[in-house]
Amino acid sequence: MLSDAVNAAIGDIYRCALDDSLWQPTLHTLSRLLGGVGAAIIPTELHSDLRFGSARIPESDHMYYDHMWRHDPYRAYLAGHRLPQGELSDISFLSDEEVARNPYYQDFLNRFGASRTNRFYFTDPNGPHFAFSIQRPLGRPHETGDERRLRLMLGQHVCRAISMSLGGRQANALAHGFREMCARLPTPTAVIGHDGRVIFMNDAMERVLGDGVVHTDGRLTCSHRASARQLDGLLRDALSPSSDVAPGPKRFVMVQCPSGRPLLARAIPLLTEGRDATARPTRPMAMLAFHRPGSDMPDVTDALRLLGLNQSEARLVQQVANGLPLKEAARAIGISDHYARSILRSVYEKLDVNSQGRLTAFVRDLPTP
């Protein structure tokens, strides 16, 4: 049975997932629980900002990332070995004689009252690699069996909390980036997180609530049971797209409303599971938009350009979305029928639609100038 102090520390670890500023005092607590004189979260890649330490005075962190990392025996060892998952202690690859000659220990750790170190490596394939490190005190370079078991257990909690924190950072960054665009949308729109919960919704979405669409337990659903099942499936497909399912038709559903005026719902994948350009993990996100058929069509040429369409493509799409047949749309912007058909095929691919009807529905969900 875990002690009250250990249970409290586990709770503190997961609070760090929501607030990075809590890592310093939490790592200080973990260090004391494990009989150490310091604790740190050390990224495998030095350019990563995943750096947290227990020291109240950041001198040790500055020394390590300035030049002492070059003497870090773990980095030298891992240069010739596969990156581990789980425990790795320097006692397994470094003798006492080597410790006595290594500037990492003599000029760095000893200066802060530390000797040997124990690390717990985390190698999630969808995220950056890092280690949870405990610095042993001078005079007590080896941990006890109980300290080791506790370190391994707490190390797993630290790794889970870091993964949660990285996922939260990604979601917050993306939500901030999409917020301005969604605020400009004339139609009801919400950004949905990987767990199906609403990250935020625009004012138009809030005005729709009550007419067949409800916001409960952080999720958007429908009061009509069949519509609720369809909407759930729509979001599930957008957040976890399958290569076996044609993307276009599956991302539209009709929502029945008590007012008798149905809503057309579309879910647009914003991000899939994987890594971003900086190798940080990404969580699936989707944009859910409603449109009530029969409303006026806004001019969305600028929004189409932002989505990667060129000027000719955006102008043709605007005319088609206004209800013109393709030949008339081509004539309206001064291009041939053949070129218009070629442009439309390119547009379908770029916007992930497969018919003029679905193209029109897509355009109605875009922001106006």
Side-chain angles (χ1 to χ4, degrees):
M1 184 174 180
L2 299 179
S3 68
D4 291 343
V6 172
N7 282 321
I10 293 173
D12 290 340
I13 289 171
Y14 287 103
R15 277 188 280 276
C16 292
L18 303 176
D19 184 354
D20 285 348
S21 67
L22 298 177
W23 275 116
Q24 187 274 322
T26 298
L27 289 171
H28 181 70
T29 298
L30 297 180
S31 172
R32 289 190 290 108
L33 283 173
L34 296 170
V37 293
I41 294 169
I42 303 173
T44 303
E45 299 178 349
L46 287 174
H47 62 75
S48 171
D49 62 354
L50 192 64
R51 305 175 179 181
F52 304 108
S54 62
R56 291 185 175 87
I57 301 175
E59 180 185 3
S60 59
D61 292 342
H62 292 164
M63 283 187 62
Y64 180 85
Y65 292 108
D66 180 55
H67 63 280
M68 273 299 168
W69 63 270
R70 297 182 178 86
H71 304 289
D72 186 341
Y74 287 88
R75 294 188 182 277
Y77 174 80
L78 293 177
H81 297 79
R82 185 176 181 179
L83 191 66
Q85 169 70 33
E87 179 185 22
L88 181 64
S89 297
D90 57 13
I91 195 173
S92 65
F93 60 86
L94 209 63
S95 68
D96 290 339
E97 290 76 15
E98 290 172 312
V99 168
R101 296 193 302 268
N102 193 315
Y104 180 75
Y105 296 92
Q106 303 307 314
D107 301 335
F108 177 51
L109 290 183
N110 287 182
R111 176 175 179 176
F112 299 99
S115 57
R116 286 186 176 271
T117 62
N118 306 114
R119 293 185 183 178
F120 188 95
Y121 278 87
F122 186 64
T123 55
D124 183 347
N126 292 323
H129 302 158
F130 60 90
F132 169 54
S133 177
I134 295 293
Q135 288 80 52
R136 303 293 307 170
L138 285 171
R140 287 188 56 212
H142 307 299
E143 61 187 353
T144 66
D146 287 342
E147 288 172 341
R148 177 179 176 274
R149 284 187 289 272
L150 182 58
R151 175 173 60 82
L152 296 181
M153 184 268 288
L154 291 175
Q156 294 179 48
H157 287 294
V158 168
C159 292
R160 293 191 194 106
I162 289 288
S163 294
M164 292 168 60
S165 176
L166 292 172
R169 287 187 198 178
Q170 185 67 38
N172 289 336
L174 287 169
H176 179 75
F178 287 116
R179 187 180 300 274
E180 181 179 356
M181 185 180 76
C182 288
R184 296 177 59 200
L185 287 170
T187 52
T189 310
V191 174
I192 309 299
H194 71 281
D195 58 356
R197 296 180 183 275
V198 175
I199 295 178
F200 66 86
M201 67 177 76
N202 65 5
D203 292 340
M205 178 66 80
E206 293 184 0
R207 289 193 293 269
V208 165
L209 299 180
D211 186 17
V213 181
V214 294
H215 184 214
T216 180
D217 193 27
R219 303 171 189 271
L220 287 171
T221 186
C222 303
S223 54
H224 187 270
R225 289 187 179 181
S227 295
R229 288 193 296 270
Q230 290 181 318
L231 185 61
D232 287 345
L234 180 75
L235 289 173
R236 186 166 55 251
D237 290 344
L239 292 169
S240 303
S242 170
S243 58
D244 299 330
V245 179
K250 291 294 183 180
R251 292 183 184 156
F252 293 87
V253 297
M254 190 66 72
V255 175
Q256 301 301 320
C257 302
S259 65
R261 302 175 61 206
L263 288 167
L264 180 66
R266 174 177 170 84
I268 306 169
L270 298 177
L271 195 68
T272 58
E273 192 88 30
R275 293 188 185 184
D276 64 11
T278 62
R280 291 182 177 177
T282 58
R283 299 286 185 89
M285 296 178 66
M287 182 180 292
L288 176 65
F290 290 112
H291 167 68
R292 201 178 298 277
S295 58
D296 294 334
M297 175 66 70
D299 182 352
V300 292
T301 304
D302 289 342
L304 291 169
R305 295 295 302 277
L306 290 174
L307 291 175
L309 272 62
N310 61 37
Q311 184 175 0
S312 296
E313 290 169 338
R315 292 174 61 205
L316 179 66
V317 169
Q318 181 69 56
Q319 296 300 326
V320 170
N322 282 337
L324 291 181
L326 185 59
K327 287 185 178 181
E328 293 184 22
R331 190 174 302 113
I333 64 173
I335 62 174
S336 68
D337 297 350
H338 177 75
Y339 186 39
R341 287 192 293 271
S342 175
I343 287 179
L344 199 60
R345 286 194 295 271
S346 175
V347 168
Y348 284 172
E349 182 177 350
K350 289 182 178 180
L351 300 184
D352 191 22
V353 297
N354 61 0
S355 70
Q356 291 186 34
R358 300 203 181 281
L359 177 61
T360 299
F362 179 90
V363 171
R364 289 184 180 274
D365 293 333
L366 295 177
T368 56

